[in-house]
């Protein structure tokens, strides 16, 4: 049972007879921040007092009088200006936790309104460097997939891979001009990645060489402007000083761009080999674009190469997915929608939503600075056109009620315009949600890159996590009071669980909108809010059963009911009963960190309980069994909770 939801429901029925927006006021009943104030607290009496024209304390008293909760709670108390504090009856907790201890679903009831949800996540650009941002999308998206499915929704995961973009033009060009056939045969993806980077670099070089004189001119202008302002601005001229500060800022940013451009050019020019290639391919940028255009126009040779490259690229991605234990129901990449794009643009035009502007076909949206371009001057369709076709497919063919896009926050504008356009187009029933997330930063404060910056690099990243985890697992095992317990194979198996769990958890436990710093030591720490801590907590609980010499299933089927005599027992039971609450909150806002918080608190609450209440050594048989049952339920909740985040556990570590 979700106690929070139950209490809100009961409060709601009292509120409904008094005010119109009962929902809003019922939602003001929340878990207490401080256990001194009971388990839950409602602060709706204060805002209600205005509407009802009575002092808050009277409102609170009236609500309490009308509330029918004596089966669940002690008599509620009024505190301060009119807070209502609820304390759940220990008898009730006892009954509930006993039921949960036997329940497969750990007290989590399937949702009453099942939705069809499509989750668009991971979506790397094939053959182009995959960055940790894609890993973040993968990890968050997969956790949401697992959680929403567990709650009883009908969820489809769809990997909207970028398999049709301009990177293919670069690869085609690179393949034709620079391929190392032996390397290609040995590891096609690594070679294609190299070709992509090479073509990209040469193209950038030529573009930068072209732009540099303009940039340098801008620099001298900006220097002049600063000099002029410095000469004229007076001591007490506040506005002038502000202006000068602004000019200096601009100068600095232009100076930085010039520096960056010069470095990029010098890098190529100092490398004789590279410089030779650059000179031999002066039009590489345009030529690569032409290859993309040819592919899109159906050129058979380019199409054949694309057909050859794609399976290898997909397989390289799948290697990473398999290691992460991630499966997709669908992988309908951008290329899948190509045959449908012309019809999308036609439909938008015929509905009067899209119009021509400077040769491009655009949707103009109120309050948006830029138009949403669905076809470029050269006739090419865009990322936007594909996403519109994708919405049509997901609504019409997949019958989606909700579509979630787990994508980098930097694409926020794109999704805002996409959703607005879809609404105008007539897809106004489906819920469209950008589940956006921040950037993973390196310790240097710049976006974090894997060493090679590509998909192979991502595999290296996982390897590094596992090898670091092995060090931690081994050190921990070696320091056990009665000597090491794990053989090499066990250590390796556990290191994999700890390493991958650590990487996933790091992505999940931050508020997804924030940027965070990728930090190995923090990520794998034994103490603190980490997967490692939680995995060890789980193993510790399992150790209790071994120490007590009982099997988990024997504990679970025991007739002994759970009794909550000690405060720490009650606190643990209450925490365990809030699993449903945590999952519901996670699903409501698509925030896996609500679940990680819950699990972290659960591990901590357990730890306090275990400090205060002996289990295996408890002499009273009834108390011992009751506590073992609490431990067993804790173990299952930790295991289930972590598994919903895609994180594995081991009974021994
Ligand atoms: N491939 C895109 C990128 O790497 C992400 C695609 C996200 N999904 C979507 N339907 N636009 O930036």
């Amino acid at each position: 049972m979700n106690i929070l939801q139950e209490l809100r429901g009961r409060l709601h029925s009292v509120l409904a007879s008094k005010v119109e927006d009962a929902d809003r006021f019922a939602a003001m009943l929340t878990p207490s921040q401080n256990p001194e104030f009971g388990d839950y607290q409602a602060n709706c009496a204060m805002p209600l007092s205005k509407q009802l024209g009575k002092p808050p304390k009277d409102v609170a008293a009236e609500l309490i009088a009308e509330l029918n909760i004596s089966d669940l709670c002690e008599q509620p108390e009024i505190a301060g200006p009119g807070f209502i504090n609820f304390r759940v009856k220990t008898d009730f907790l006892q009954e509930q936790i006993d039921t949960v201890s036997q329940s497969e679903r750990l007290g989590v009831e399937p949702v009453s309104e099942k939705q069809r949800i499509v989750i668009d996540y991971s979506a790397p650009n094939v053959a182009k460097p995959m960055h940790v941002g894609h890993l973040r999308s993968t990890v968050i998206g997969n956790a949401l997939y697992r959680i929403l499915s567990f709650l009883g929704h009908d969820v489809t995961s769809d990997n909207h891979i970028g398999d049709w973009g301009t990177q293919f033009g670069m690869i085609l060009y690179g393949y034709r001009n620079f391929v190392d056939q032996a390397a290609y045969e040995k590891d096609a993806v690594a070679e294609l990645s190299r070709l992509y980077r090479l073509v990209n670099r040469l193209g950038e070089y030529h573009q930068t060489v072209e732009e540099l004189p303009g940039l340098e001119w801008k620099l001298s202008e900006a220097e002049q402007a600063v000099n002029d302002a410095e000469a004229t601005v007076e001591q007490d001229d506040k506005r002038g000083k502000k202006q000068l500060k602004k000019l200096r800022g601009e100068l600095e940013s232009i100076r930085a761009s010039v520096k960056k451009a010069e470095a990029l050019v010098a890098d190529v020019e100092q490398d004789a080999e590279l410089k030779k290639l650059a000179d031999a391919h002066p039009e590489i940028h345009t030529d690569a674009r032409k290859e993309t255009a040819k592919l899109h126009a159906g050129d058979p040779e380019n199409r054949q190469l694309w057909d050859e490259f794609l399976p290898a690229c997909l397989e390289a991605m799948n290697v990473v997915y398999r290691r992460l234990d991630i499966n997709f129901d669908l992988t309908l990449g951008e290329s899948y929608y190509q045959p449908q794009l012309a019809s999308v643009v036609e439909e938008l035009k015929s509905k009067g939503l899209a119009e021509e502007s400077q040769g491009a076909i655009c949707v103009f949206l109120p309050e948006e600075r830029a138009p949403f371009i669905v076809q470029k001057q050269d006739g090419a369709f865009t990322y936007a056109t594909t996403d519109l076709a994708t919405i049509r497919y997901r609504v019409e063919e997949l019958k989606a009620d909700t579509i979630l896009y787990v994508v980098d926050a930097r694409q926020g504008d794109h999704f805002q315009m996409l959703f607005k356009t879809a609404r105008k187009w007539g897809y106004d029933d489906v819920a469209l949600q950008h589940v956006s997330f921040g950037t993973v930063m390196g310790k240097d404060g710049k976006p974090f890159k894997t060493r090679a910056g590509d998909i192979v690099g991502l595999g290296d990243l996982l390897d590094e996590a596992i090898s670091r985890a092995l060090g931690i697992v081994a050190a921990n095992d070696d320091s056990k009071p009665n000597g090491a317990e794990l053989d090499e194979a066990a250590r390796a198996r556990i290191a994999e669980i700890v390493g991958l769990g650590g990487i996933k958890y790091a992505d999940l436990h931050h508020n997804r909108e924030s940027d965070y710093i990728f930090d190995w030591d923090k990520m794998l720490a034994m103490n603190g809010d980490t997967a490692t801590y939680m995995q060890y907590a789980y193993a510790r609980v399992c150790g209790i059963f071994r120490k007590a010499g009982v099997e988990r299933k024997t504990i679970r089927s025991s007739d002994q009911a759970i009794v909550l005599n000690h405060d720490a027992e009650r606190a643990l039971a209450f925490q365990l009963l809030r699993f449903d609450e945590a999952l519901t909150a996670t699903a409501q806002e698509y925030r896996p960190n609500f679940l990680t918080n819950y699990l972290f608190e659960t591990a901590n609450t357990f730890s306090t309980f275990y400090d205060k209440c002996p289990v295996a050594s408890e002499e009273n048989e009834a108390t011992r069994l009751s506590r073992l049952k609490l431990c067993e339920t804790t173990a299952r909740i930790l295991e289930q909770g972590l598994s919903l985040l895609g994180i594995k556990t081991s009974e021994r570590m």
Side-chain angles (χ1 to χ4, degrees), residues 156-365:
T156 301
S157 53
D158 184 7
N159 193 359
H160 189 77
I161 53 174
D163 57 0
W164 201 242
T166 48
Q167 78 269 30
F168 275 102
M170 300 202 208
I171 290 164
L172 288 163
Y173 187 93
Y175 185 78
R176 292 229 164 83
N177 293 284
F178 314 120
V179 75
D180 171 346
Q181 202 58 42
Y184 179 73
E185 262 148 47
K186 206 169 140 237
D187 184 345
V189 178
E191 177 60 3
L192 294 178
S193 272
R194 183 189 74 86
L195 293 172
Y196 169 81
R197 286 199 298 270
L198 177 62
V199 175
N200 193 34
R201 196 159 171 209
L202 297 177
E204 255 179 10
Y205 166 75
H206 286 298
Q207 269 189 315
T208 314
V209 168
E210 252 172 58
E211 285 165 9
L212 203 52
L215 267 178
E216 280 163 348
W217 182 77
K218 264 189 167 168
L219 180 63
S220 64
E221 291 275 286
E223 277 166 350
Q224 192 58 45
V226 169
N227 286 342
D228 291 350
E230 275 171 349
T232 54
V233 76
E234 302 280 339
Q235 199 48 23
D236 52 353
D237 176 3
K238 266 199 183 150
R239 260 184 65 197
K241 280 195 165 161
K242 216 172 149 194
Q243 175 67 9
L244 179 60
K245 202 171 160 201
K246 195 177 139 220
L247 289 172
R248 282 193 180 130
E250 282 167 5
L251 175 61
E252 276 325 301
S253 101
I254 297 172
R255 199 170 266 155
S257 314
V258 171
K259 249 195 172 162
K260 203 172 146 199
E262 283 172 348
L264 204 147
V265 170
D267 259 4
V268 172
E269 293 185 344
Q270 278 158 17
D271 183 327
E273 196 104 345
L274 213 53
K275 177 70 166 85
K276 221 170 96 193
L277 287 182
D279 290 342
H281 299 269
E283 300 295 328
I284 193 164
H285 190 72
T286 342
D287 290 343
R289 275 180 173 272
K290 282 186 192 151
E291 295 297 344
T292 312
K294 268 166 70 186
L295 171 69
H296 289 180
D299 174 81
E301 258 178 55
N302 277 7
R303 176 71 197 205
Q304 198 203 329
L305 282 175
W306 184 85
D307 283 335
E308 183 182 320
F309 298 157
L310 200 65
C313 298
L314 291 180
E315 181 46 28
M317 281 168 31
N318 284 333
V319 169
V320 174
Y321 292 141
R322 276 197 295 273
R323 291 185 72 181
L324 292 170
D325 190 21
I326 282 168
N327 267 309
F328 291 92
D329 298 316
L330 297 171
T331 298
L332 299 178
E334 293 176 4
S335 65
Y336 178 81
Y337 296 96
Q338 291 318 299
Q340 308 171 21
L341 300 185
S343 79
V344 169
V345 175
E346 276 322 306
E347 236 185 280
L348 292 173
K349 281 206 281 196
S350 74
K351 289 197 165 168
L353 298 173
E355 57 192 89
E356 203 189 305
S357 165
Q358 296 171 13
I361 310 293
C362 306
V363 179
F364 288 93
L365 297 159

Side-chain angles (χ1 to χ4, degrees), residues 535-546:
Q535 287 164 325
Y536 271 99
Y538 173 77
R540 213 166 297 131
V541 186
C542 294
I544 300 172
F545 310 133
R546 287 196 293 273

Side-chain angles (χ1 to χ4, degrees), residues 120-125 131 134 160-162 334 383 387 390 394 405-407 411 414-415 418:
D120 179 322
Y121 76 90
S122 194
N125 297 319
H131 51 81
H134 292 115
H160 189 77
I161 53 174
E334 293 176 4
Y383 185 52
D387 258 333
T390 309
R394 288 174 179 163
Y405 296 85
V406 187
V407 185
Q411 294 193 31
H414 165 74
F415 285 108
L418 174 67

